[in-house]
Amino acid sequence: MKILLTGANGYVGRRLLPELLEQGHEVVCCVRDQLRLGLDKQTLSRVTIWEVDFLENPNLANIPQNIDVAYFLIHSMASSTSSFDIMEATAAKNFNIYMEAIQTKQVIYLSGIVNDPNLSKHMQSRSNVEKILSQSKHKLTVLKAGIIVGSGSSSFEIIRDLCEKLPIMITPKWVLTKSQPIAIRDVIKYLTGVINREDCFNQSFDIGGPNVITYKQMMQLYAKTRGIRLLIITIPIMTPKLSSYWLYFVTSTSYKLAMNLVDSMKMEVICKDNRLQKILGIKPISYVDAIKLAFLKIEQNLVISSWKDSLSSSRFKQNLSAYIQVPTFGCLKDSKSLKLENPEQALENIWSIGGARGWYYGNWMWKTRGMIDKLFGGVGMRRGRTSPTLIDSGDALDFWRVLLANKEEKRLLLFAEMRVPGEAWLEFRIDENDILHQIATFRPIGIFGRLYWYAMIPFHFFIFDGMLRNIANSKN
């Protein structure tokens, strides 16, 4: 079948794509910016790419044809604390216009469980999107999930951060809220299982795992599974705003996402029925087994996707392509180069930069800069990187965003997402003469931007020089 996959570079989309291809479907990957798709050459040769932004007015020129099934995996919760519901409604309405023009037969929407009568703004938005999608001519199948557990999922990574960084936690009372977590591999089974099934047309299903547990129990089971000692003390006086700051400073989540998560965590997310489980014959795995499988992927460096790479939680207001041409006019630069004795090793070092490997020189200064950034509402250094050795365009890399990662051309280009009075790029490139070029470019905004650059020159002198030499000489 011919399938349209929106959000193809998102957490669920990147897990779903290989399964669809494995099942023999023809897939059209729908993304705002094809530079962020991050697929290997073999996979790229098997898919078609449609670049479209559903927040913009529909343009029906060059739309794909003969789509049998379309997945709606578009969410905006991480991008705003106030207007994400308007953005999600706009995306759904424009999606309908496209689907009617394409004459799509079935739309599959991954939503959230909305059985609590007191819905959060987040869940009200998901419910509203379902209503909008149901008003079009296509057959709609809605799958409603709660907490999704898997390597790289936001829920899993937040629990991981909390349990492994805080042996003693003073927590708000929402940790006693019940949930029904589901493993990402089971979500994928449900998403593929309902394809072209007439008994699933114009139906809405809750999907969840076999365990109904509180968030506190989720953390306790995580700690037990990982062999971590954990003490959780629950107090009733922590306000939603304090809870959001608590999540923001302890975990790698953004403040916008933390606010929306806290708002939703006060509501129970438990399945009403298990009809779809019986229809498809799926036996979901337990929460503990989902944790074990997640760490199996992590330990084998096989994490396919991570919520941290989401562009909606970044500084970007435009596509990556708007930043990929490094400017020269009105910019300040720090350029260094060095002849390499082992260019292959240097290239591997460039592709391993950041995360656990660090920045090859003055890591304590990089971490301090990350802490300062976090205090002022920035992303900080906690995002790390999804893989220790692989980099794709669009990936998050500590407080940078990967604009371009081309190993064949031996070039890596990063854009700063920390809070700075301007725009900053960092480029690594090895030329045909085996010379390593390291170029830091800063386009300041006003007098404060220039003062910031000149104040940082003493640090740049040591950091950039040491980083260049260690990239050239370090061995894995």
Side-chain angles (χ1 to χ4, degrees), residues 130-160:
E130 179 181 346
K131 291 177 183 177
I132 294 171
L133 294 177
S134 68
Q135 293 167 2
S136 193
K137 295 178 181 179
H138 51 247
K139 306 298 183 182
L140 180 64
T141 302
V142 182
L143 306 182
K144 300 177 179 179
I147 299 295
I148 297 177
V149 182
S151 55
S153 74
S154 58
S155 304
F156 172 80
E157 294 297 340
I158 288 171
I159 289 172
R160 183 183 177 191

Side-chain angles (χ1 to χ4, degrees), residues 40-52:
D40 58 77
K41 286 186 176 179
Q42 183 179 1
T43 305
L44 275 173
S45 66
R46 300 173 63 190
V47 303
T48 303
I49 300 173
W50 179 31
E51 199 173 53
V52 59

